[in-house]
């Protein structure tokens, strides 16, 4: 009976899609309305039910709806700044996440086409952002705020789409496309802390961009392009304690997965890193990790009183260091060595703010976890030297 009902409503699907296409641009001021307009928002898999009956409908309308949605998000940035709208979608974390949750399923339906569209929007905005690195904006800086807001949306969107690799049935064939999108974000990262942009850490639009970058790093990590190894230790460390054959077998399985995505040699064959190497010279996971750790260190230096950014930054740092083997990778990085030997308030302003007491605890907890992974007295002495000098 249920199937019959669905069959009867299928002929109206083009009308629903057309209605969405017409209404999305009209609702750019309202974050929740935009989320409601996302097709199959609550049940993305239902798109494949329709596909079984009329694949041409999805091929025609899904890309158009996603393009209209993304464009409406970019246009909403200008609309909010010009009209002073209080309902800014970027300031509502819950509704923002609700919108982003549907994107991976829909964008990967015709991934090549959608990625080219996203890149066509992203490239000119990044170019404009790079030009402002060498000169301050004219007037009140509204134009730069628009660029920062649009980049914030695009970084969120790219992160959400890359996270969709976890549920993609053809993930391996889509790695090259993931690499194209990720390369744009890592290229942007090279601009955010250079030139005139270093004077904008106190600006709200700039802070939101950094929050979006942290979200991208988390999604990139969860997509297994860096640290599948987190699963190895948190779920399979028991074999070292119990010695059971079942636990040993399970650990070996995860260890093999680790070698596929994170191993010293295997990562060089990932198509994601092929693209990152071609565009940015980032040819393996250690180089990418070092860049991420460098951004973590920068955030901890410049955001002394921005509690939300410090919290998100330290959460990323803690997640990266939470496994034994992943921690071993971090210990190979120059950025980690810097943090372990420069962990005082002179280098990280947030340590001097009493409001960051919990963040301070998280910071030193993570450093201690890394420090005691190896029994190296010289590293321990180097870690304690800054504390002794501060007395």
């Amino acid at each position: 009976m249920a199937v019959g009902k669905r069959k009867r409503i299928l002929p109206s699907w083009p009308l629903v899609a057309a209605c969405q296409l017409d209404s999305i641009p009209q609702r750019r001021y309202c974050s929740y309305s935009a989320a409601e307009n996302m097709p199959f928002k609550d049940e993305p898999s239902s798109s494949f039910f329709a596909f079984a009956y009329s694949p041409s409908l999805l091929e025609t309308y899904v890309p158009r709806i996603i393009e209209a949605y993304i464009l409406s998000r970019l246009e909403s940035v200008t609309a909010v700044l010009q009209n002073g709208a209080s309902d800014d979608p970027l300031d509502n974390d819950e509704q923002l996440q609700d919108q982003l949750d549907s994107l991976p399923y829909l964008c990967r339906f015709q991934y090549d086409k959608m990625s080219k569209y996203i890149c066509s929007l992203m490239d000119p905005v990044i170019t404009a952002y790079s030009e402002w690195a060498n000169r301050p904006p004219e007037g009140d800086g509204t134009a730069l705020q628009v660029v920062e807001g649009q980049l914030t949306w695009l970084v969120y969107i790219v992160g959400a789409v890359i996270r969709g690799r976890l549920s993609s049935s053809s993930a391996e064939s889509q790695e090259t496309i993931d690499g194209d999108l990720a390369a744009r974000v890592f290229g942007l990262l090279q601009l955010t802390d250079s030139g005139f942009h270093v004077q904008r850490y106190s600006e709200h639009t700039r802070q939101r961009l950094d929050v979006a970058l942290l979200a991208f790093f988390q999604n990139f990590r969860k997509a297994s392009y860096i640290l599948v190894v987190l699963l190895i230790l948190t779920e399979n460390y028991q074999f070292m304690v119990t010695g059971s054959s079942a636990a040993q077998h399970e650990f070996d399985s995860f260890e093999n997965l680790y070698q596929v995505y994170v191993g010293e040699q295997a990562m060089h064959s990932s198509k994601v890193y092929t693209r990152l190497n071609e565009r940015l010279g980032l040819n393996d996971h250690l180089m990418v990790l070092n860049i991420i750790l460098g951004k973590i260190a920068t955030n901890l230096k410049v955001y002394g009183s921005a509690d939300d950014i410090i919290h998100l930054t330290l959460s990323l740092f803690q997640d990266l260091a939470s496994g034994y083997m992943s921690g071993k990778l971090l210990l190979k990085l120059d950025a980690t060595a810097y943090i372990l030997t420069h962990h005082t308030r002179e280098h990280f302003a947030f340590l001097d703010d009493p409001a960051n007491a919990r963040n301070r605890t998280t910071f030193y907890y993570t450093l201690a976890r890394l420090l005691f992974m190896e029994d190296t007295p010289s590293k321990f002495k180097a870690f304690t030297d800054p504390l002794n000098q501060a007395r």
Side-chain angles (χ1 to χ4, degrees):
M1 189 67 181
V3 173
K5 288 182 178 179
R6 287 188 175 183
K7 283 185 177 179
R8 285 196 295 270
I9 66 171
L10 280 174
S12 66
W13 200 85
L15 297 178
V16 174
C19 179
Q20 289 176 332
L21 286 169
D22 290 338
S23 61
I24 285 176
Q26 304 301 322
R27 300 185 180 185
R28 61 181 179 268
Y29 297 102
C30 181
S31 59
Y32 187 68
S33 296
E36 286 183 319
N37 269 320
M38 290 297 289
F40 316 116
K41 180 180 74 68
D42 296 318
E43 191 179 354
S45 60
S46 64
S47 62
F48 295 99
F49 175 84
F51 178 81
Y53 288 88
S54 185
S56 62
L57 293 179
L58 288 178
E59 292 171 358
T60 299
Y61 287 106
V62 168
R64 290 175 58 190
I65 292 173
I66 295 303
E67 289 174 4
Y69 168 76
I70 295 174
L71 188 60
S72 75
R73 297 302 84 198
L74 301 188
E75 292 175 347
S76 73
V77 176
T78 302
V80 168
L81 288 173
Q82 289 180 346
N83 298 282
S86 59
D87 187 19
D88 190 337
L90 287 172
D91 287 333
N92 191 317
D93 293 338
E94 182 178 352
Q95 292 177 10
L96 174 62
Q97 190 58 49
D98 190 36
Q99 295 180 42
L100 296 175
D101 283 344
S102 297
L103 282 176
Y105 304 95
L106 300 170
C107 286
R108 286 179 178 269
F109 175 64
Q110 291 189 3
Y111 197 20
D112 183 61
K113 181 176 181 179
M114 294 313 308
S115 68
K116 289 178 180 177
Y117 178 73
I118 294 172
C119 290
S120 71
L121 295 175
M122 202 166 188
D123 288 343
V125 183
I126 292 177
T127 299
Y129 188 75
S130 67
E131 292 173 354
W132 266 304
N134 300 317
R135 60 180 175 85
E138 299 176 357
D140 59 359
T142 300
L144 180 52
Q145 292 177 28
V146 170
V147 169
E148 289 173 333
Q150 291 178 340
L151 286 174
T152 300
W153 270 112
L154 290 167
V155 170
Y156 272 127
I157 288 169
V158 169
V161 172
I162 287 180
R163 186 185 67 228
R165 180 185 186 279
L166 294 172
S167 58
S168 174
S169 60
S170 56
E172 185 175 353
S173 64
Q174 297 179 353
E175 284 188 356
T176 299
I177 302 176
D178 286 348
D180 283 330
L181 292 174
R184 264 75 179 182
V185 179
F186 282 109
L188 170 64
L189 183 63
Q190 297 177 351
L191 301 172
T192 56
D193 300 303
S194 64
F196 175 76
H197 298 307
V198 301
Q199 302 178 32
R200 293 187 55 79
Y201 293 122
S202 62
E203 299 293 332
H204 181 56
T205 52
R206 168 55 201 266
Q207 292 181 6
R208 289 193 310 197
L209 177 56
D210 274 333
V211 170
L213 288 169
L214 292 171
F216 168 80
F217 295 149
Q218 287 285 18
N219 287 325
F220 192 77
R221 177 184 69 85
K222 292 174 183 177
S224 301
Y225 287 128
I226 292 183
L227 293 176
V228 169
V229 69
L230 293 176
L231 296 175
I232 300 175
L233 261 293
T234 56
E235 299 183 11
N236 298 278
Y237 186 78
Q238 58 176 325
F239 94 93
M240 287 187 264
V241 179
T242 65
S244 68
S245 58
Q248 175 70 62
H249 176 73
E250 189 177 356
F251 180 86
D252 289 342
S253 298
F254 274 97
E255 180 68 15
N256 290 335
L257 184 62
Y258 164 74
Q259 291 298 332
V260 169
Y261 293 105
V262 189
E264 295 291 343
Q265 302 300 323
M267 288 303 294
H268 294 282
S269 63
S270 169
K271 294 178 182 178
V272 169
Y273 285 88
T274 300
R275 275 292 189 264
L276 290 177
N277 185 37
E278 291 172 355
R279 295 182 63 90
L280 302 172
L282 304 175
N283 55 27
D284 63 24
H285 60 295
L286 288 177
M287 295 183 71
V288 169
L289 273 173
N290 199 57
I291 287 178
I292 294 175
L293 261 292
K295 181 57 179 174
I296 288 173
T298 298
N299 284 0
L300 298 179
K301 287 180 181 179
V302 302
Y303 288 118
S305 57
D307 177 73
D308 55 338
I309 297 180
I310 294 297
H311 173 72
L312 293 171
T313 300
L314 289 174
S315 294
L316 174 63
F317 188 25
Q318 188 174 24
D319 289 342
L320 292 173
S322 62
Y324 175 79
M325 298 179 72
S326 59
K328 289 286 190 180
L329 287 177
L330 294 187
L331 288 174
K332 297 179 180 181
L333 306 178
D334 294 337
T336 304
Y338 175 87
I339 296 175
L340 285 172
T341 54
H342 298 80
H343 50 82
T344 59
R345 65 186 64 183
E346 288 77 17
H347 299 281
F348 298 113
F350 83 97
L351 294 172
D352 206 27
D353 189 338
N356 281 316
R358 290 191 176 184
N359 289 328
R360 180 188 181 96
T361 300
T362 302
F363 178 62
Y364 280 105
Y365 170 84
T366 305
L367 294 185
R369 189 181 188 91
L370 290 171
L371 183 65
F372 293 113
M373 282 182 177
E374 296 179 348
D375 184 12
T376 310
S378 60
K379 286 187 177 181
F380 181 79
K381 183 180 183 301
F383 177 80
T384 58
D385 280 345
L387 298 176
N388 293 330
Q389 295 172 6
R391 292 180 178 177

